[in-house]
Amino acid sequence: MILLIQKKEQLSLNQHQALNLVSLLKQNEAIKDVASLYINTQSDNNEYNTQKVSAEKEASSKVESLEKLLTEEKKIVYIDGVFDIMHSGHFNAVRQASKLSDILYIGINSDEDVAKIKGPTLMNNEERGLIAGSCKWIDKVVIGVPYNTTLEVLDEVGAHYAAHGDDIAYDENGNDVYDEIKKKNRMKTFKRTEGISTTNLLGRLMLCSKSNTKEKEEISNKPLMSKFLTTGWRLREFCNNKIPKQGDKVVYIDGAWDVLHPGHIRTLEYAKSKGDFLYVGIWDDTTTSNTFGFGNPVLSLMERTFNLLSMKYVDDVVISSPRLINEDLIKSLGVDLVIGEESNITVFDKEDPYFVPKQMGVFETYKSHIALNNDFLVQRLEKNKDSYMNKYFTKTKKEEDYYKNQKKQTQEI
């Protein structure tokens, strides 16, 4: 019991409530007096005595349950990875891992280890950690962890279990990286999310590159369309199922929200800080293409939707939101503040998309320190183009083998 208080930052809401109830009952003299009088009261009434014995057994059972609750240690699960281009498949993995845990830690593989085993990353430790840490299912981010998860790593981060998809992860020597952990029964497994991968997104990003190469032509001949399935059940699992409360300040911000990078995260964080409830409008594919040009969006509308619903800053989304923000949208959602980046206005916009909120006096302009498009990632990709090309073709072959020979039928949770 003392250990529970020593680990006070891990107390659940139920444990907080139980401890407060016990404390209040202990301090209340009137309740103590009545309880003492009741316990000491004798009676010849059989019905009274029967009910008293029955109630005593029930109360004893509840005390045992309470004691179990207060002494029960919370289950900490650890999931790790590169998470270079964090996508809906990653977020679905994290969501499932959260269901296997009371507390979920995420480890971000170090730049050095990833470079040695997989090649260079588009984003560094801190940038990848920022995006992972914005996920609503994550309780703690550990940056710069080894690529291979060992028992020592689990103990060092303070986790009881490691979690991974049902596809086997191998190290550079072809060994199951979780073999040691599995032998100690400290492994949790969930279903791999099929239909989307970092490799596939890398190929899609390459098509946004301005350079024309033979490899780029080869990529364009491969099936790059998303196969990530949007079912009603899966969408419901991602949704927050909440609406603004009475008196909440409601904020609305729109955009393409394509492949997530630090600029997107900082923008969402800022928008959320301006109110109590944040709606995020997601442009359809045509609007996104008109705004940012050929090859955009890299992610489909629903892939972008799942990404945003995974963010802790986002309360709800407007799917395929109108480019022209009108009075009906503002009043229907009860919006108090519209935030927009005016640098996104193009020749395709026949009129200022933010004209109405400006006229209503509810508009605030915002300028991201990184353009909210794919240029940030494409420019980095082009600096190590040959390395990424080799990585793409190597990993594509492995993925094709997986879908052909190793595809699992594990139930998603």
Side-chain angles (χ1 to χ4, degrees), residues 13 91 102 107 151 213 219 255 285 304 324 373 408:
L13 178 59
F91 290 124
D102 297 308
L151 289 170
T213 63
I219 292 172
D285 294 350
R304 291 180 280 135
L324 191 67
N373 55 32
K408 307 285 184 179

Side-chain angles (χ1 to χ4, degrees), residues 153-301:
V153 170
L154 280 185
D155 291 337
E156 187 176 335
V157 301
H160 302 109
Y161 302 94
H164 193 273
D166 54 10
D167 52 322
I168 300 173
Y170 298 100
D171 62 18
E172 64 269 32
N173 299 315
N175 301 315
D176 181 348
V177 299
Y178 292 102
D179 185 57
E180 180 186 24
I181 293 171
K182 288 175 180 176
K183 288 177 180 176
K184 294 293 184 179
N185 294 318
R186 295 180 66 180
M187 189 74 205
K188 300 286 184 181
T189 305
F190 51 81
K191 180 177 175 59
R192 166 182 169 150
T193 303
E194 295 161 349
I196 186 169
S197 69
T198 302
T199 302
N200 181 270
L201 296 188
L202 196 59
R204 295 193 228 173
L205 273 172
M206 286 177 184
L207 295 181
C208 292
S209 170
K210 295 179 174 60
S211 60
N212 293 309
T213 63
K214 179 183 177 182
E215 290 84 357
K216 184 176 175 181
E217 186 177 333
E218 286 185 54
I219 292 172
S220 65
N221 291 328
K222 289 186 174 291
L224 293 174
M225 293 299 292
S226 170
K227 296 178 182 177
F228 180 76
L229 298 177
T230 302
T231 64
W233 176 86
R234 183 178 276 175
L235 185 60
R236 185 191 65 199
E237 288 293 302
F238 273 71
C239 287
N240 291 317
N241 297 314
K242 61 192 290 191
I243 59 175
K245 301 189 299 293
Q246 185 71 31
D248 277 354
K249 181 179 180 181
V250 178
V251 179
Y252 178 85
I253 186 170
D254 66 344
W257 313 107
D258 208 356
V259 183
L260 293 175
H261 60 61
H264 293 118
I265 305 305
R266 293 302 187 199
T267 299
L268 291 171
E269 182 181 27
Y270 174 80
K272 177 63 176 180
S273 74
K274 301 297 289 185
D276 305 298
F277 192 99
L278 178 62
Y279 281 112
V280 179
I282 311 171
W283 299 337
D284 61 25
D285 294 350
T286 301
T287 300
T288 302
S289 180
N290 288 342
T291 303
F292 296 124
F294 176 78
N296 293 284
V298 165
L299 301 178
S300 70
L301 175 61

Side-chain angles (χ1 to χ4, degrees), residues 79 88-101 104 135-138 190-191 193 233-239 306 310 411-413:
I79 183 172
S88 49
H90 290 136
F91 290 124
N92 197 39
V94 171
R95 180 192 65 77
Q96 292 182 81
S98 73
K99 289 198 167 187
L100 300 172
S101 67
L104 184 60
C135 176
K136 65 185 179 184
W137 294 294
I138 297 296
F190 51 81
K191 180 177 175 59
T193 303
W233 176 86
R234 183 178 276 175
L235 185 60
R236 185 191 65 199
E237 288 293 302
F238 273 71
C239 287
F306 279 103
S310 304
Q411 179 65 46
E412 185 172 327
I413 57 177

Side-chain angles (χ1 to χ4, degrees), residues 59-69:
S60 178
S61 174
K62 288 183 178 179
V63 169
E64 286 180 13
S65 298
L66 182 62
E67 184 176 4
K68 183 179 178 181
L69 171 67

Side-chain angles (χ1 to χ4, degrees), residues 17-36 62-63 66:
Q17 290 173 341
L19 286 169
N20 275 284
L21 178 61
V22 171
S23 177
L24 288 171
L25 290 173
K26 183 179 178 182
Q27 295 174 37
N28 193 302
E29 294 298 329
I31 291 178
K32 286 167 63 177
D33 290 343
V34 171
S36 178
K62 288 183 178 179
V63 169
L66 182 62

